[in-house]
Amino acid sequence: SYGHNGNIEASLASDWTSETKVDGGEKVWFTIREGVKFHDGTDFNCSVVKLNFDHVYAGPLTGSDWHGWYGLPGALSNWYCEDETFILETAEPYYPLLQELTYIRPLRMVSAAAFAHGISTSPYTHNSCPSGWGTIENPDGPNVTCVGISAPIGTGPFSFLSRTLNDDEDDDEVIFKRFADYWGAQPDIEFVKVVRYDTAADVLAALEDGSLDAVLGAGVLEPSDLQDLLYSSDFDVEHSEATQNTVLIMNIDDINIRKTVVHAVNKVPIIESELGDIETPVSQLFPEAAPYCDVDLTPKSSS
């Protein structure tokens, strides 16, 4: 998992080691954590890890139209099990391999029971990708037919309990229950209910009438409402360390023009008028808390 300051922390893999191969690529050994259960009571083991990799990175799914939006699918050259050790190989050095394995999508660990034919499910004829994707053509090999999974059966501290759909077949409410056999520390909360609201005003109203306990993430509430809550004795408003910056991307080839725009735009009044005066001006794409981003760049301005 992705920890504080970009540190990679042990989770479903309890340990890992790596070495550089003769061809210049990398080989990584992951020790599968013992005693982990899926929410259906089945064991988490190396064969299920390989099954999930086989499906997520099957043939055309690694292309740019699907999972190729990040570099890991193109970097991997092989994966397999040796007893309860999962081994990944790359064709060449790929620095963010461990970081990208922490992403919550597209790779996830789902119980074999959720696949169409269990542990033997073909990643090509019955792939676990959403059934709405249909059949994905592969000019260089077999096509991939997406059939989905039967249920979201993972290994986390909360297991899926129920969902309520609206007229558009979107989730209006999803309920999760504390998983008694979770391998890590047990959460204090027994049930988590995730609710969809049409507008930020609806979210605010639910907070104020007590039907909603918490709001997580940026952009859920209007900045002005968030500022009001910040100074209300009835609510606690907490800001985490920045995980991403809001940026304006300029398609301008001339670097001097880009520098001129950067220096000419005063960010402070924009933050005051549009963001509730609760954000901080930044001068770079990635937050300084990200690995290797705590650097002094120019041009840099406090405005």
Side-chain angles (χ1 to χ4, degrees):
S1 62
Y2 192 87
H4 179 70
N5 202 31
N7 292 322
I8 304 302
E9 300 176 349
S11 186
L12 294 179
S14 59
D15 193 16
W16 55 89
T17 57
S18 66
E19 71 174 21
T20 301
K21 301 187 299 179
V22 175
D23 62 6
E26 186 177 9
K27 187 175 183 179
V28 188
W29 290 262
F30 294 92
T31 302
I32 301 300
R33 185 178 294 277
E34 297 180 353
V36 176
K37 296 285 187 181
F38 282 103
H39 298 151
D40 61 356
T42 59
D43 291 333
F44 173 77
N45 55 42
C46 194
S47 62
V48 183
V49 175
K50 183 179 183 300
L51 174 67
N52 279 272
F53 268 79
D54 288 345
H55 279 247
V56 173
Y57 299 128
L61 286 176
T62 61
S64 58
D65 288 338
W66 305 100
H67 300 329
W69 54 266
Y70 74 136
L72 184 61
L76 296 177
S77 60
N78 198 15
W79 52 86
Y80 52 96
C81 290
E82 289 184 355
D83 296 325
E84 284 307 299
T85 299
F86 183 64
I87 300 172
L88 284 181
E89 295 186 12
T90 67
E92 57 187 27
Y94 188 65
Y95 157 71
L97 186 147
L98 293 179
Q99 282 83 354
E100 293 187 2
L101 285 174
T102 70
Y103 291 1
I104 61 173
R105 67 179 181 91
L107 183 66
R108 71 287 184 265
M109 291 296 123
V110 179
S111 168
F115 288 72
H117 299 296
I119 195 68
S120 62
T121 303
S122 167
Y124 291 94
T125 62
H126 294 81
N127 195 283
S128 60
C129 46
S131 57
W133 292 5
T135 297
I136 301 171
E137 295 185 357
N138 183 7
D140 301 317
N143 295 338
V144 166
T145 299
C146 299
V147 300
I149 57 174
S150 61
I153 307 172
T155 62
F158 292 93
S159 61
F160 170 76
L161 184 62
S162 67
R163 74 196 315 171
T164 302
L165 301 178
N166 58 26
D167 294 338
D168 296 324
E169 296 298 305
D170 294 323
D171 288 319
D172 259 358
E173 179 182 282
V174 182
I175 301 177
F176 300 89
K177 182 181 180 180
R178 182 171 59 204
F179 181 45
D181 292 328
Y182 178 56
W183 62 270
Q186 281 286 320
D188 295 330
I189 302 171
E190 185 174 1
F191 293 95
V192 173
K193 181 189 295 185
V194 181
V195 183
R196 176 188 175 276
Y197 294 91
D198 290 328
T199 66
D202 293 336
V203 176
L204 179 63
L207 276 175
E208 292 178 332
D209 68 22
S211 60
L212 180 64
D213 295 320
V215 172
L216 302 178
V220 182
L221 290 166
E222 293 291 345
S224 57
D225 293 332
L226 189 58
Q227 187 179 45
D228 291 339
L229 296 175
L230 186 64
Y231 297 103
S232 170
S233 60
D234 296 326
F235 298 93
D236 291 323
V237 178
E238 301 289 341
H239 281 81
S240 69
E241 192 175 62
T243 57
Q244 64 181 26
N245 291 339
T246 300
V247 299
L248 173 65
I249 298 176
M250 298 177 290
N251 188 21
I252 301 173
D253 183 60
D254 191 321
I255 189 172
N256 291 316
I257 295 178
R258 296 202 303 271
K259 288 181 178 181
T260 301
V261 174
V262 168
H263 281 296
V265 175
N266 186 353
K267 306 180 187 74
V268 172
I270 298 176
I271 293 173
E272 290 175 347
S273 63
E274 302 298 327
L275 300 176
D277 199 23
I278 56 175
E279 304 297 343
T280 303
V282 296
S283 300
Q284 60 193 58
L285 179 61
F286 297 107
E288 293 183 3
Y292 307 113
C293 292
D294 187 13
V295 294
D296 188 29
L297 302 177
T298 57
K300 194 164 188 176
S301 172
S302 61
S303 64

